[in-house]
Amino acid sequence: MVVRRGRGGEPQVLLVHRPATPRHGRDWSWPKGKLEEGEPHAVAAVRETLEETGCRVLLTRPLPELRYRVEGGRRKRVRYWLAFAAPGEVAGTPSPEEVDEVRWCSAEQARELLTYPHDVRVLDAALAAAKVRTWPVLLLRHAKAVARDRWRGAEDADRPLLDRGHEQAHALAPLLGCFDVREAVTSPWARCVQTLLPAADTASWRLREDEALSEEGFEAAPAGVGAVLDGALASGRGTVLCSHRPVLPVLQERLAAVAGDGERALLRRKLSKGEFVVAHVAGRGAEARVVAVERHAPPAGR
């Protein structure tokens, strides 16, 4: 669900009007659509919004999902995120056969226009969430790498991704790109760098290597990894940190320390290879608080 601030500072939301078809009547509703085969929900949310409004968006915190019955008694599940237009993006009508009008509306106008009562519930949740500005911290475990006992190289730091790991890395690129990441920081070890490279290339991120995120750096100076996260929290800029199994629990626990009761369990769960967690943070520095958390399973690859 796309939100922006109007000239007076009041929130405005983006609605789409769908013309009548042989199966469905005309309606005003939120941009949405169906998953393509193997497509993550977040990627589908960005893609469908672009297809229906011509506007590329960045996702912020997730909103409560909807479940309701449709024609034929089938149950439908719809996931939503609060989102905003990426810099320079303008809404239009790129698919007039599916959407014949796109309109920015005030909350009051949206309540009058929305066709379905369940969409009003989404509006209420989005308006409440939009009162608190958030930015993301992503913790990513590297993709599948050559096993330690099969690696014949001299240094573990050089142990690379498997072909399956490279597939995961490429599949991660559009998913990581759904969020407002401004900085990408990684362990300099090969398997972490290779995991983030496709996303960094796609999104034009500058990829910064930090030895504190490596296994060896963590063993030598355990406090260093906390300093990396503290720097990210102080910056207030969307950041993705890519590291290893022994290091990530420290990062997860430090975020859990500034999270609410409902978010801590999701933050503390072990990350599988290629999996990442998104902590949606309000405030910065000593005032930083995690207000929402989502986890994204390892992609299947391509």
Side-chain angles (χ1 to χ4, degrees):
M1 179 179 165
V2 193
V3 179
R4 72 177 184 184
R5 294 289 173 187
R7 291 183 179 179
E10 76 287 352
Q12 295 181 331
V13 296
L14 190 61
L15 299 187
V16 297
H17 181 262
R18 293 183 173 84
T21 68
R23 292 187 60 189
H24 302 286
R26 60 197 298 270
D27 66 52
W28 281 100
S29 58
W30 308 117
K32 60 179 180 290
K34 297 180 180 179
L35 293 172
E36 295 183 349
E37 184 176 357
E39 186 177 39
H41 286 82
V43 175
V46 172
R47 175 185 57 77
E48 286 285 355
T49 302
L50 176 62
E51 290 177 1
E52 293 196 343
T53 71
C55 183
R56 186 175 69 87
V57 299
L58 296 168
L59 305 182
T60 64
R61 58 197 295 186
L63 299 173
E65 67 179 38
L66 288 182
R67 298 188 183 212
Y68 52 89
R69 293 194 181 277
V70 295
E71 183 181 354
R74 294 181 297 108
R75 291 195 63 82
K76 188 171 186 178
R77 175 190 177 197
V78 187
R79 295 183 61 182
Y80 290 95
W81 279 262
L82 190 66
F84 61 90
E89 294 290 316
V90 179
T93 53
S95 303
E97 67 282 358
E98 296 182 15
V99 171
D100 58 5
E101 186 176 352
V102 174
R103 186 184 301 182
W104 287 104
C105 302
S106 67
E108 294 75 17
Q109 291 169 333
R111 288 184 198 281
E112 293 179 2
L113 285 175
L114 285 167
T115 303
Y116 307 110
H118 55 250
D119 280 339
V120 177
R121 297 202 301 272
V122 178
L123 172 66
D124 291 336
L127 292 174
K131 291 178 181 178
V132 179
R133 178 188 173 274
T134 64
W135 53 278
V137 173
L138 286 66
L139 304 182
L140 168 66
R141 185 176 175 186
H142 65 76
K144 289 185 177 292
V146 174
R148 291 179 193 270
D149 59 3
R150 292 180 176 272
W151 173 236
R152 299 294 178 257
E155 300 292 337
D156 189 43
D158 298 329
R159 182 158 54 93
L161 295 182
L162 292 165
D163 288 346
R164 171 69 185 281
H166 284 291
E167 290 176 356
Q168 285 184 319
H170 282 280
L172 277 166
L175 185 52
L176 294 169
C178 291
F179 302 94
D180 187 23
V181 171
R182 307 293 182 86
E183 185 171 21
V185 188
T186 181
S187 160
W189 289 16
R191 52 193 180 273
C192 288
V193 174
Q194 291 172 353
T195 298
L196 263 188
L197 266 177
D201 288 345
T202 300
S204 299
W205 298 334
R206 182 176 68 89
L207 192 58
R208 180 165 66 85
E209 299 178 8
D210 195 316
E211 188 62 39
L213 294 176
S214 73
E215 293 187 36
E216 192 173 78
F218 176 61
E219 290 177 2
V225 68
V228 174
L229 180 58
D230 289 346
L233 292 176
S235 75
R237 303 171 73 238
T239 304
V240 55
L241 304 176
C242 183
S243 190
H244 309 263
R245 178 186 56 78
V247 184
L248 286 162
V250 177
L251 294 168
Q252 291 170 263
E253 191 59 38
R254 288 181 77 93
L255 281 177
V258 296
D261 293 341
E263 289 74 41
R264 289 192 188 111
L266 273 178
L267 278 170
R268 287 170 169 160
R269 267 176 31 203
K270 177 183 174 181
L271 290 167
S272 301
K273 292 176 181 176
E275 184 178 17
F276 68 95
V277 61
V278 185
H280 297 278
V281 182
R284 54 190 290 185
E287 303 300 320
R289 294 292 180 270
V290 176
V291 299
V293 174
E294 56 185 295
R295 294 176 70 103
H296 293 269
R302 61 182 183 182

